[in-house]
Amino acid sequence: MKISKKYKAVLVLALGFGTLQSSAQEIGIQLWSLRNQFKTDIPGTLATIKDWGITKIEGGDSYGMPFDEFNGLLKKNNLEMVSIGAPFKDLEDSPEKVVESAKAYGAKYVMCAWVPHNENDFAIAETKHATEVFNKAGKLLKENGITLAYHAHGYEFRPYKNGTLFDYMMENAEHFTFEMDLFWVQHGGEDPLALMKKYPEKVTLLHLKDMAKGVVGNNTGSEDRETNVVLGTGQIDIAGVVAEAKTLGVEYMFIEDESSRVVEQVPRSLEYLKGLK
């Protein structure tokens, strides 16, 4: 698939962003999207990303391959790891090691996608603790030129006082920002576009992910991955979010497709994004 120079596509894959012409805004994919493909063919999977016209990725896992060898393949395929994932426990116990990992890849963002908790026990106590951990670790990362972004998964949108647990987190976020996954925001009962407008200075990264029409979400953090569909074919206002991201100056918008159809769906999602004005 050839992608014109006019359309800068940055596919960031997690090992599972009007016209996008500005060099400050790029579409990427999270390497987790291709986790199953990486299990059998790491070089071939990275080559596929390159063939899609992608130059920026989000990940952090080398899938069992030695770091130097994996990083060498990234360079060979002109792939830049601009963001890596970090477990909550690492941010809590050894944030300096997270800094080292980010620097090893040359990443300027670190994202955390899950706060450990028991079943439905995530409440204000857990929220306050997570906020403290993110602020402390985020301060250290910031001092090293790295931005920490939290990736919510829906359980943060449970009611708290006149808002949600997520509202508490964002209102008290001094040294961390928000990587908004459109699917999980809507799945958790919120409107992605409205949330971006509510916290315009907090949203620094996006996961572009659409949810099949008719799917009813929840705030438990559980989903059916097969409900991830081609961007623009589901129930989320992808066009509105991308336009707002352009207005806010969001630097990277990573496509994330966790379905078994990822290889077939990503090119179609890119074509959809290419057609947005």
Side-chain angles (χ1 to χ4, degrees):
M1 173 182 173
K2 298 294 184 181
I3 298 177
S4 68
K5 293 182 180 179
K6 180 180 179 182
Y7 177 67
K8 290 192 172 183
V10 179
L11 212 55
V12 181
L13 304 171
L15 301 175
F17 261 160
T19 307
L20 297 180
Q21 298 179 33
S22 170
S23 60
Q25 293 173 302
E26 300 184 272
I27 302 296
I29 193 168
Q30 225 264 10
L31 292 186
W32 173 253
S33 302
L34 296 173
R35 61 199 177 281
N36 293 321
Q37 287 72 22
F38 277 114
K39 290 177 183 178
T40 58
D41 186 2
I42 295 176
T45 301
L46 293 176
T48 295
I49 298 172
K50 178 182 179 181
D51 289 344
W52 279 335
I54 294 151
T55 62
K56 305 292 188 292
I57 57 174
E58 179 178 72
D61 188 346
S62 62
Y63 297 92
M65 179 176 283
F67 170 79
D68 289 342
E69 186 176 348
F70 185 80
N71 205 30
L73 284 175
L74 294 184
K75 290 179 170 59
K76 177 181 178 180
N77 288 284
N78 193 32
L79 300 176
E80 180 184 358
M81 188 79 75
V82 296
S83 176
I84 67 167
F88 182 83
K89 199 64 175 171
D90 287 357
L91 290 168
E92 182 176 30
D93 296 340
S94 52
E96 66 283 348
K97 292 184 179 180
V98 176
V99 171
E100 291 175 6
S101 295
K103 287 186 174 182
Y105 276 115
K108 51 186 174 179
Y109 290 95
V110 166
M111 59 83 81
C112 180
W114 192 266
V115 177
H117 60 280
N118 296 320
E119 298 288 334
N120 292 319
D121 290 344
F122 192 85
I124 189 58
E126 289 75 17
T127 303
K128 288 182 176 180
H129 176 60
T131 302
E132 292 173 358
V133 169
F134 291 145
N135 274 327
K136 183 178 180 180
K139 185 175 185 295
L140 178 63
L141 266 66
K142 187 184 299 184
E143 291 170 351
N144 285 273
I146 303 163
T147 298
L148 175 62
Y150 177 58
H151 175 305
H153 268 91
Y155 50 83
E156 307 87 349
F157 300 123
R158 295 169 185 172
Y160 176 67
K161 292 188 174 181
N162 296 322
T164 65
L165 296 170
F166 179 80
D167 287 322
Y168 174 90
M169 187 177 286
M170 288 297 99
E171 289 165 5
N172 291 278
E174 298 178 5
H175 300 296
F176 68 97
T177 61
F178 178 39
E179 178 176 62
M180 187 170 77
D181 184 306
L182 310 189
F183 179 99
W184 281 115
V185 169
Q186 187 139 330
H187 200 268
E190 297 285 333
D191 179 340
L193 184 55
L195 201 61
M196 289 182 75
K197 293 181 177 180
K198 185 175 184 178
Y199 297 108
E201 297 180 356
K202 299 295 186 182
V203 180
T204 55
L205 298 172
L206 291 182
H207 275 186
L208 297 180
K209 184 191 301 182
D210 210 344
M211 181 165 60
K213 295 177 180 178
V215 172
V216 177
N218 59 62
N219 59 13
T220 67
S222 61
E223 64 153 336
D224 176 359
R225 289 171 176 163
E226 294 307 316
T227 62
N228 289 194
V229 295
V230 175
L231 297 180
T233 66
Q235 58 179 283
I236 299 177
D237 182 9
I238 302 295
V241 168
V242 170
E244 185 66 15
K246 179 181 178 182
T247 298
L248 297 180
V250 174
E251 190 170 12
Y252 300 108
M253 294 179 276
F254 304 131
I255 291 175
E256 184 176 42
D257 188 331
E258 299 189 62
S259 77
S260 61
R261 305 174 302 280
V262 56
V263 175
E264 292 75 29
Q265 290 189 166
V266 165
R268 293 172 59 194
S269 289
L270 283 169
E271 283 298 326
Y272 168 77
L273 293 170
K274 183 179 179 181
L276 296 180
K277 302 299 181 181

